[in-house]
């Protein structure tokens, strides 16, 4: 029997010839009434750190929109808290103890207590219990670079000048030494709950030059992914890099990445033609389309899906349908429904 879960797992192995499985980054979030209602009772941190409630939130979009895959409800920034940086959300993240000089690195612990992230393992278990065995489930972490940018800048919104300086003044290398093993352990802690894949979100991947990406960052990314895979050989990895393209993907080909998430600035048909042999591919509808009025959104979604439908079925064997970044708070629920529904109508399959 083909279930959402087998569809997802087969797609990650590039063995699926049916419709693409579908999920969205931030599918449980502020655009959704279900989430807003739970947020009236709990803060974001309380939701993340109370596994039953985190599972409730993760199930909201599964129940309302019938996605094929659920995603752990959590945040990429919790490892920074474990390293010793006070963290709060309002609703965007606020970090204290930013890494402005190499001296600031001394305040970060050398022996992070991985048990402090156990709530993620428990939330995955609770989510699986609610989900049943026929749907997919994803755990996730942030990339070492994206965590570095947050640790230095406190945000990733207003340029990254200080983070770029850190590549020459020792902060980047010093931070990588602190965060790399913690990330491997964080992925391992999630893998112990047996999700179907672990995603790594690299939202800052395109904020550094290709030269820095290749010479300074890539060795650390490689070490984290390889160390994780050495221990969890069979756990698929999805890597999403925002604002990067062919140059970086060529390097990423040499890493143990099963599925490459691409952003909405890229053309999915072109990427499929070039990379379908190298990775399963995930993405990449522009999230802003989901904020349009329902008629306009449906037309754009249909045009996007039809373009991909025209390709040889072999090229989309390993295609996981989703967005080119996270869904935004102003997205309309009706458009999310249309997205899931049209994908099944156009590509067939229940
Ligand atoms: O459903 C899912 O996909 C799981 C939810 C999820 C959250 N954060 C919940 C969240 C995921 C996958 C993340 C990852 C994350 N967090 C990333 C990587 C992906 C990306 O967006 O580029 C980043 C950079 C963060 C850091 C972070 N946390 C930011 C920038 C913000 C503010 C976001 C906003 O929409 O204002 C957060 C807070 C956050 N994380 C919220 C949610 C639902 C909003 C908190 C609230 O409701 O108060």
């Amino acid at each position: 029997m083909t279930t959402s879960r087998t569809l997802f797992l087969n797609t990650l192995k590039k063995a699926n010839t049916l419709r693409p499985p579908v999920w969205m980054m931030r599918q449980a979030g502020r655009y959704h009434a279900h989430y807003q209602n739970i947020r009236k009772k709990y803060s974001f941190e309380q939701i993340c750190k109370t596994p039953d409630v985190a599972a409730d939130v993760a199930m909201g979009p599964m129940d309302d929109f019938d996605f094929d895959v659920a995603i752990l409800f959590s945040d990429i920034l919790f490892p920074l808290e474990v390293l010793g940086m006070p963290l709060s959300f309002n609703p965007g993240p606020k970090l204290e103890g930013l890494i402005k000089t190499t001296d600031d690195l001394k305040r970060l612990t050398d022996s992070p207590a991985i048990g402090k992230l156990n709530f993620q393992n428990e939330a995955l278990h609770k989510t699986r219990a609610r989900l049943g065995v026929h749907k997919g489930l994803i755990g996730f972490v942030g990339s070492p670079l994206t965590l570095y940018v947050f640790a230095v800048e406190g945000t990733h919104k207003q340029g990254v000048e200080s983070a770029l300086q850190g590549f020459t003044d020792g902060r980047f290398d010093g931070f990588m030494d602190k965060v790399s093993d913690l990330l491997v352990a964080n992925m391992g802690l999630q893998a112990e709950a047996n999700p179907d894949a672990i995603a790594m979100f690299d939202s800052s991947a395109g904020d550094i030059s290709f030269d820095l990406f290749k010479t300074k960052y890539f060795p650390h990314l490689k070490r984290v992914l390889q160390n994780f895979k050495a221990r969890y050989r069979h756990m698929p990895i999805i890597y999403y890099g925002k604002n990067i393209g062919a140059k970086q993907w060529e390097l990423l080909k040499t890493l143990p990445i099963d599925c490459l998430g691409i952003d909405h600035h890229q053309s999915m048909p072109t990427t499929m033609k070039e990379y379908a042999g190298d990775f399963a591919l995930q993405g990449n509808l522009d999230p802003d389309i989901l904020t349009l009025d329902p008629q306009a959104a449906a037309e754009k979604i249909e045009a996007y899906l039809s373009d991909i439908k025209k390709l040889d079925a072999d090229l989309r064997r390993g295609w996981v349908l989703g967005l080119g970044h996270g869904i935004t708070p102003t997205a309309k629920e009706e458009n999310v429904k249309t997205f899931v529904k049209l994908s099944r109508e156009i590509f067939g399959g229940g």
Side-chain angles (χ1 to χ4, degrees):
M1 183 178 68
T2 303
T3 64
S4 292
R5 192 182 191 183
T6 54
L7 197 60
F8 182 52
L9 287 169
N10 288 339
T11 304
L12 294 175
K13 291 186 200 125
K14 292 184 282 187
N16 167 41
T17 52
L18 302 170
R19 67 175 174 84
V22 51
W23 71 281
M24 287 177 188
M25 189 196 295
R26 293 187 191 237
Q27 63 190 20
R30 285 185 289 167
Y31 76 97
H32 195 193
H34 177 270
Y35 176 74
Q36 296 286 9
N37 280 333
I38 296 178
R39 273 287 272 119
K40 285 180 193 150
K41 282 185 264 166
Y42 303 95
S43 70
F44 174 71
E45 292 95 313
Q46 282 173 325
I47 298 175
C48 294
K49 293 184 177 177
T50 315
D52 272 317
V53 183
D56 262 355
V57 170
M59 286 305 294
M62 302 305 291
D63 294 337
D64 285 358
F65 309 117
D66 194 29
F67 285 107
D68 292 299
V69 183
I71 174 165
L72 165 70
F73 193 81
S74 199
D75 200 85
I76 63 165
L77 299 178
F78 289 118
L80 295 180
E81 193 173 44
V82 176
L83 282 176
M85 300 183 72
L87 170 67
S88 58
F89 292 86
N90 183 28
K94 294 222 172 350
L95 280 159
E96 288 168 49
L98 299 185
I99 311 303
K100 293 296 174 198
T101 68
T102 45
D103 260 8
D104 295 326
L105 286 167
K106 294 186 188 134
R107 276 186 274 117
L108 304 184
T109 177
D110 285 317
S111 45
I114 184 68
K116 288 187 181 163
L117 293 172
N118 234 346
F119 59 89
Q120 293 186 336
N121 170 287
E122 289 169 30
L124 281 167
H125 277 293
K126 296 273 184 190
T127 306
R128 171 59 76 200
R130 296 272 302 274
L131 202 56
V133 296
H134 296 319
K135 294 278 185 182
L137 177 61
I138 299 177
F140 70 89
V141 293
S143 77
L145 174 69
T146 299
L147 292 186
Y148 164 75
V149 170
F150 272 98
V152 168
E153 304 279 350
T155 163
H156 64 166
K157 288 210 175 108
Q158 299 123 20
V160 292
E161 289 78 23
S162 180
L164 288 174
Q165 268 165 28
F167 279 90
T168 47
D169 66 18
R171 284 178 292 152
F172 178 76
D173 290 321
F175 184 81
M176 288 298 117
D177 287 344
K178 302 262 185 179
V179 86
S180 296
D181 290 347
L182 176 59
L183 274 178
V184 176
N186 191 174
M187 294 169 84
L189 171 140
Q190 292 186 18
E192 288 298 321
N194 206 24
D196 300 305
I198 294 189
M200 177 180 275
F201 293 125
D202 205 348
S203 313
S204 303
D207 292 346
I208 59 174
S209 67
F210 174 66
D211 184 53
L212 282 182
F213 188 97
K214 180 176 173 180
T215 58
K216 294 279 195 172
Y217 173 45
F218 188 71
H220 295 286
L221 180 61
K222 179 173 177 175
R223 187 155 66 94
V224 169
L225 295 180
Q226 287 186 340
N227 286 352
F228 171 74
K229 272 278 186 167
R231 272 170 248 171
Y232 297 92
R233 198 159 317 191
H234 301 295
M235 182 59 63
I237 292 181
I238 301 170
Y239 171 89
Y240 166 83
K242 190 170 169 221
N243 280 329
I244 59 171
K247 279 197 285 192
Q248 290 88 345
W249 298 340
E250 284 301 318
L251 287 175
L252 295 170
K253 266 188 197 173
T254 63
L255 299 188
I257 291 169
D258 299 271
C259 179
L260 179 73
I262 70 173
D263 72 30
H264 49 282
H265 304 105
Q266 302 290 338
S267 152
M268 184 55 91
T270 307
T271 310
M272 281 175 170
K273 285 177 202 154
E274 295 287 324
Y275 289 93
D278 300 302
F279 307 99
L281 293 171
Q282 178 182 288
N284 76 336
L285 188 85
D286 182 345
D288 284 343
I289 291 177
L290 300 180
T291 66
L292 301 177
D293 79 75
Q295 176 70 26
E299 281 165 18
K300 290 200 189 280
I301 294 167
E302 181 155 10
Y304 171 85
L305 295 173
S306 303
D307 251 11
I308 299 175
K309 171 93 191 219
K310 287 183 204 139
L311 299 173
D312 192 306
D314 251 12
L315 289 181
R316 53 183 150 79
R317 253 173 212 284
W319 176 39
V320 179
L321 174 59
L323 303 181
H325 193 215
I327 188 168
T328 61
T330 55
K332 296 188 168 74
E333 293 189 17
E334 186 179 342
N335 295 339
V336 175
K337 272 195 187 124
T338 303
F339 184 68
V340 175
K341 190 168 140 258
L342 280 179
S343 76
R344 288 179 192 158
E345 278 173 20
I346 290 175
F347 293 97

